[in-house]
Amino acid sequence: MTKEDLLLKNIQGNKPFPICFEDLEKAVAERLPAGPYGYIRSGAGGEQSLRNNRSAFAKYSIVPRFLTDVSEPDTSIELFGKTYPTPFLFAPVGMNQMVHELGELAVVRAAQRLGMPYIQSTVSSYSLEEVAETVPDHTKWFQLYWSTNEEIAYSMAARAESAGFEAIVLTVDTVMLGWREEDVRNQFSPLKLGLARGNYMNDPVFTASLKDDSLESYVEGILANIFHPTLNWENVRELKRRLHVPLLIKGILHPEDARLAIEAGVDGIIVSNHGGRQLDGVIGSLDALPAIVKAVDSRVPVLLDGGVYRGIDALKALALGANAVCIGRPFVYGLAYDGEDGVYQVMQNLYSEFKVSMGLSGQRTAAGLPAMTLIRE
Ligand SMILES: Cc1cc2nc3c(=O)[nH]c(=O)nc-3n(C[C@H](O)[C@H](O)[C@H](O)COP(=O)(O)O)c2cc1C
């Protein structure tokens, strides 16, 4: 073994691991069947939105400061009165059993080891109660998809609250399924395979609406409820009235929608284009961020996801006013590559690069990053 090999293993733990997103994506492409891989990797339509997320980061360059004593970096952030050691959260990603048998349970164990809040998807393979039992003391938020039968949405939100989830994240950009060419090409529909059943199987309101407990009935029931084109601000207000924990809205791209969300009583905003999976031809999340930060004017936290594949991406997002970032595809690839340890390694690498980059740009605290100089080309 060469000296270089040893050094790599020291940095990354005991096993060699693809160091960057591109290497990891390539490695996972070789391990997963075309259906699941295409489902995770692809964006809607011609994938302009997916590309926009990445190219938005490349438009910004950091102008570093030096001689600032960066010996004791403080990467912590505060959200809803709690302090977290890093500005990274796990974005809600459905149906994790598509790539690993332990699915969300493996992911949330890694999240706990890292001290990063975990957002569980409505369409997870394991139920929110199973996740809560796995990591009862770790911070978990629940991502809610509205339901055609709104009583199902209220029921899931109430279950999440009683299982100890500390916030509800309502995703508003999925009122119908995006035009996903890769999945059509591969004839792949994980919803139809029943991989999204975790939270539906034991929901009393949902199960009462089924004609029997066959897989077909579950799938039919989920498909009948999961897309909900009637969603509107009154639904948001009513949900807010029923909740005892903070409500965030995920999928906001227009500053006017951010203003309306605050008017509707929302406690936080996640700027996101759903990883380019819904509407094609959409503004990249980072490009949408500054106007939303301005409109929100520090009244509620603003989080961002979409294309955060490197530590410096997180640095740029925080410099532009995001309070934290959510990671999606990178952790899913980590899960596919090496289960819980793979998730841990990916997120640890992102965090390590973030911390180094904070120091190298002369910044001592994550909270102070908005004062950093960025130029936009
Ligand atoms: C495979 C996959 C499944 C997803 N499932 C959900 C979901 O169930 N609910 C949701 O709100 N967002 C979902 N998202 C979107 C993510 O929360 C996040 O917005 C997106 O992954 C960010 O883009 P990035 O992964 O390229 O950074 C999913 C994304 C992927 C890649």
Side-chain angles (χ1 to χ4, degrees):
M1 185 177 294
T2 65
K3 223 170 156 186
E4 283 71 31
D5 284 339
L6 265 178
L7 186 64
L8 253 188
K9 286 188 184 171
N10 280 342
I11 293 172
Q12 301 178 345
N14 299 324
K15 299 180 224 169
F17 192 86
I19 182 68
C20 66
F21 180 80
E22 292 76 11
D23 292 356
L24 183 59
E25 187 166 70
K26 215 166 127 214
V28 169
E30 284 161 14
R31 291 171 182 222
L32 284 183
Y37 174 69
Y39 181 80
I40 296 159
R41 185 212 61 79
S42 66
E47 301 192 338
Q48 186 197 338
S49 305
L50 182 62
R51 287 190 298 277
N52 284 352
N53 277 350
R54 286 301 296 147
S55 59
F57 284 99
K59 290 175 196 163
Y60 289 92
S61 300
I62 298 161
V63 186
R65 303 295 304 272
F66 297 113
L67 304 146
T68 57
D69 185 358
V70 287
S71 56
E72 283 179 35
D74 175 4
T75 60
S76 68
I77 54 144
E78 223 191 279
L79 285 173
F80 305 117
K82 274 178 99 169
T83 303
Y84 300 101
T86 86
F88 294 94
L89 287 83
F90 283 73
V93 169
M95 302 176 277
N96 290 177
Q97 251 184 350
M98 194 187 306
V99 299
H100 193 278
E101 206 191 322
L102 289 176
E104 292 80 13
L105 305 187
V107 178
V108 80
R109 283 192 190 113
Q112 173 164 263
R113 280 163 65 194
L114 293 151
M116 298 175 183
Y118 175 74
I119 311 180
Q120 182 174 357
S121 165
T122 290
V123 290
S124 49
S125 307
Y126 285 91
S127 70
L128 63 93
E129 286 84 2
E130 287 168 308
V131 164
E133 240 173 65
T134 306
V135 290
D137 302 323
H138 184 56
T139 300
K140 302 166 289 294
W141 299 356
F142 183 69
Q143 177 266 320
L144 183 68
Y145 277 133
W146 197 247
S147 260
T148 308
N149 172 358
E150 58 197 49
E151 294 305 325
I152 297 172
Y154 298 138
S155 167
M156 284 198 191
R159 280 168 54 205
E161 284 189 331
S162 50
F165 285 71
E166 295 171 27
I168 299 294
V169 175
L170 180 70
T171 297
V172 295
D173 57 16
T174 312
V175 295
M176 54 195 76
L177 187 64
W179 185 259
R180 300 189 183 172
E181 294 178 5
E182 187 76 356
D183 299 337
V184 177
R185 202 173 283 128
N186 291 326
Q187 289 292 293
F188 186 71
S189 169
L191 278 177
K192 289 189 182 154
L193 294 174
L195 287 168
R197 271 181 305 162
N199 286 316
Y200 290 92
M201 270 162 65
N202 59 351
D203 191 276
V205 181
F206 176 76
T207 49
S209 72
L210 300 181
K211 54 179 189 295
D212 56 51
D213 65 356
S214 64
L215 178 64
E216 293 74 45
S217 287
Y218 278 109
V219 170
E220 250 172 58
I222 293 170
L223 287 171
N225 276 287
I226 191 90
F227 305 116
H228 41 264
T230 59
L231 184 67
N232 60 67
W233 288 111
E234 184 43 39
N235 298 139
V236 176
R237 280 189 282 273
E238 180 56 29
L239 177 63
K240 173 67 191 165
R241 274 194 285 276
R242 292 174 184 233
L243 292 181
H244 308 92
V245 295
L247 172 63
L248 294 93
I249 283 208
K250 173 173 181 280
I252 297 293
L253 292 167
H254 198 298
E256 191 53 31
D257 280 345
R259 275 189 211 102
L260 291 172
I262 294 176
E263 257 175 53
V266 161
D267 306 285
I269 285 169
I270 305 185
V271 178
S272 170
N273 67 15
H274 212 107
R277 303 163 68 77
Q278 282 298 100
L279 177 60
D280 194 22
V282 157
I283 185 169
S285 309
L286 192 77
D287 279 333
L289 180 68
I292 291 175
V293 165
K294 193 163 172 231
V296 168
D297 196 18
S298 305
R299 285 176 288 174
V300 299
V302 177
L303 283 64
L304 171 133
D305 74 29
V308 182
Y309 297 163
R310 296 193 160 275
I312 54 158
D313 300 335
L315 197 79
K316 290 175 183 178
L318 265 63
L320 290 174
N323 296 81
V325 292
C326 307
I327 303 302
R329 289 181 177 89
F331 90 73
V332 188
Y333 288 151
L335 179 67
Y337 189 84
D338 193 19
E340 177 187 330
D341 287 345
V343 176
Y344 179 87
Q345 193 65 66
V346 169
M347 299 300 274
Q348 183 63 39
N349 285 352
L350 275 166
Y351 171 62
S352 299
E353 191 199 347
F354 171 79
K355 197 169 158 190
V356 164
S357 306
M358 217 174 85
L360 287 175
S361 47
Q363 302 298 322
R364 278 183 288 196
T365 65
L369 287 176
M372 188 168 114
T373 308
L374 279 188
I375 55 162
R376 191 174 194 276
E377 278 144 36

